[in-house]
Amino acid sequence: MSPEDTEVVELAQALVRRPSRAGIDDYGPVLAVLEDWLGARDLPYRRLYDDAGRPIALLVEVAGGRPGPWWALDACVDTAPYGDEGAWSFPPDCGDVVDGWLRGRGAADSKLAAAMFCRIAAELRARAPELSGGLAVLLDADEHTGGFGGARAYLADTAAVRPAGVMIGYPGPDEVVVGGRGLWRATIAVHAESGHSGSRRTALGAVSRAARLVQLLDEAELPGAEGEFPLPPKLTVTSCHGGEGFSVVPGLCELGVDIRTTPAFDSRAAEHLVRAAAAELDRQLPGPTPTAITQVASWPPYRLTENDQPAAALLDAATRAGLTVRPKTAGPSNIGNLLASEGIPATAGFGVRYEGLHGTDERAYLEDLPVIHAVYRQAVLRLLAT
């Protein structure tokens, strides 16, 4: 392993040893590790903040000496929770290297990528005068909450140059994720007349009405995969909350619905389907109040072709490095969907092999690091040479 890759591993170890579980830990310590590393190498960076004034990301900016578009590398430095720590065979924050694996929560998703992207920024800083445009490295500490606060703060920052494209450092060496299904999410409030469960009057409670709505949604017909987008839409009822105790007929039950959308079945079609099911419920089993639908989130699906940047640069660099990598459209949504809603193309996944991501005994395979590092470096250099 080269001195540069050794430096990447050492930084990644320090990051893993600073717990940064989303919504649980203070992000200050993990951001401080990055700030010390960047400051020691005279790399320009600044903190990004959420609306409450809390630091949620670092933004590193390396300007080239010639005019041109800016590109961004993005990796999260917050992590999933540990889960059952007793099920781990090593401490989740150990950050050690055993048999060629970096171990600990965040090793795979995505502190190793964050360290690698910092190293690439340092390498490019030394040759900035010959580069066109610039490189931004976003180190996001608000990704695993699902809020993507770091990415949102970056896009809203008037001092930052808007990127022409983004490469997100999720792990996995066999695929470059070039697209993903979108999503449409909503809560549904189902009402009924409340009362005593022992009353002589027969009353259909809100939970029973909601159960019928769940059935209608599950029975709804969705189209299959269509055109160049390889995945079909998908509907899932993800939550059901209603009722209190045994003696009360519930007057309210709330459902959560998650629909993964495609170009052929977009957010408008998803909303229409849910509203049609709610109207059918109210027709079949009338309630005191019409069923209410509140949209929670909506992101578009997206898909880059193999000729679109930055996918083309990353795929070409992987091929030149002797790797067989295929472009993939992912089922789950990711930051790429958020960027797509802003008109910014993104890849969302190419990195080292891994195990236990979001689960027990998370670890990342360091033997893959030199070639992954070289591929990203070459892709960025190609983009900054145009």
Side-chain angles (χ1 to χ4, degrees), residues 348-383:
F350 174 68
V352 302
R353 281 172 282 180
Y354 64 91
E355 293 179 355
L357 188 146
H358 286 199
T360 302
D361 287 354
E362 181 177 346
R363 58 182 189 163
Y365 193 49
L366 296 178
E367 186 174 314
D368 294 338
L369 176 61
V371 68
I372 299 298
H373 186 172
V375 166
Y376 270 108
R377 179 173 53 229
Q378 185 58 40
V380 171
L381 286 172
R382 174 180 171 181
L383 292 168

Side-chain angles (χ1 to χ4, degrees), residues 190-209 242-253 286-289:
V190 180
H191 299 272
E193 294 285 354
S194 61
H196 198 291
S197 61
S199 171
R200 293 184 178 183
R201 182 173 65 89
T202 301
L204 190 65
V207 171
S208 297
R209 294 190 72 234
E244 185 177 0
F246 289 96
S247 62
V248 177
V249 176
L252 173 65
C253 184
T289 303

Side-chain angles (χ1 to χ4, degrees), residues 1-379:
M1 190 174 290
S2 69
E4 293 80 9
D5 288 320
T6 299
E7 191 175 6
V8 170
V9 173
E10 290 173 349
L11 175 56
Q13 288 182 282
L15 294 174
V16 172
R17 289 167 180 158
R18 302 301 190 278
S20 53
R21 293 164 292 178
I24 298 175
D25 296 312
D26 176 13
Y27 301 140
V30 74
L31 293 178
V33 169
L34 291 164
E35 289 173 323
D36 288 346
W37 194 95
L38 296 167
R41 289 154 185 81
D42 198 29
L43 278 164
Y45 73 89
R46 52 198 170 88
R47 287 190 173 193
L48 301 180
Y49 299 86
D50 63 12
D51 293 338
R54 294 169 297 202
I56 52 172
L58 295 181
L59 182 63
V60 184
E61 295 169 304
V62 178
R66 303 171 182 173
W70 278 62
W71 303 87
L73 298 172
D74 174 23
C76 58
V77 294
D78 67 332
T79 72
Y82 295 154
D84 180 7
E85 295 186 47
W88 287 63
S89 63
F90 49 82
D93 60 352
C94 64
D96 58 8
V97 175
V98 175
D99 297 329
W101 293 83
L102 173 63
R103 307 193 306 174
R105 176 62 83 225
D109 184 15
S110 292
K111 291 180 175 181
L112 183 62
M116 179 178 64
F117 289 167
C118 287
R119 180 62 212 172
I120 290 174
E123 293 164 6
L124 267 60
R125 178 72 187 282
R127 54 192 303 183
E130 66 189 71
L131 303 178
S132 301
L135 175 69
V137 176
L138 178 66
L139 305 165
D140 192 344
D142 188 44
E143 194 264 12
H144 283 84
T145 62
F148 300 154
R152 293 181 188 277
Y154 172 37
L155 297 177
D157 190 339
T158 57
V161 179
R162 194 172 185 84
V166 178
M167 291 180 281
I168 304 166
Y170 296 137
D174 300 322
E175 301 161 336
V176 171
V177 176
V178 297
R181 286 189 291 202
L183 61 80
W184 185 84
R185 291 173 176 166
T187 58
I188 306 175
V190 180
H191 299 272
E193 294 285 354
S194 61
H196 198 291
S197 61
S199 171
R200 293 184 178 183
R201 182 173 65 89
T202 301
L204 190 65
V207 171
S208 297
R209 294 190 72 234
R212 176 55 184 151
L213 179 56
V214 171
Q215 185 180 26
L216 290 169
L217 292 170
D218 285 343
E219 292 173 351
E221 292 188 9
L222 298 175
E226 186 175 330
E228 295 183 353
F229 199 87
L231 299 174
K234 181 182 180 183
L235 184 154
T236 307
V237 178
T238 56
S239 64
C240 180
H241 304 286
E244 185 177 0
F246 289 96
S247 62
V248 177
V249 176
L252 173 65
C253 184
E254 292 187 325
L255 301 177
V257 178
D258 177 285
I259 301 180
R260 298 304 165 119
T261 60
T262 68
F265 189 83
D266 59 12
S267 58
R268 185 177 301 178
E271 182 175 0
H272 177 77
L273 182 151
V274 172
R275 291 194 180 280
E280 179 63 16
L281 171 70
D282 292 341
R283 186 190 68 80
Q284 292 182 8
L285 303 173
T289 303
T291 299
I293 299 165
T294 303
Q295 178 180 305
V296 174
S298 179
W299 289 345
Y302 79 101
R303 186 171 187 269
L304 309 184
T305 71
E306 295 180 40
N307 296 320
D308 292 330
Q309 296 292 16
L314 192 56
L315 288 165
D316 181 67
T319 299
R320 291 175 182 272
L323 302 178
T324 301
V325 178
R326 67 181 182 91
K328 175 186 177 181
T329 300
S333 303
N334 53 63
I335 295 181
N337 296 90
L338 170 64
L339 295 167
S341 70
E342 297 282 339
I344 300 172
T347 61
F350 174 68
V352 302
R353 281 172 282 180
Y354 64 91
E355 293 179 355
L357 188 146
H358 286 199
T360 302
D361 287 354
E362 181 177 346
R363 58 182 189 163
Y365 193 49
L366 296 178
E367 186 174 314
D368 294 338
L369 176 61
V371 68
I372 299 298
H373 186 172
V375 166
Y376 270 108
R377 179 173 53 229
Q378 185 58 40

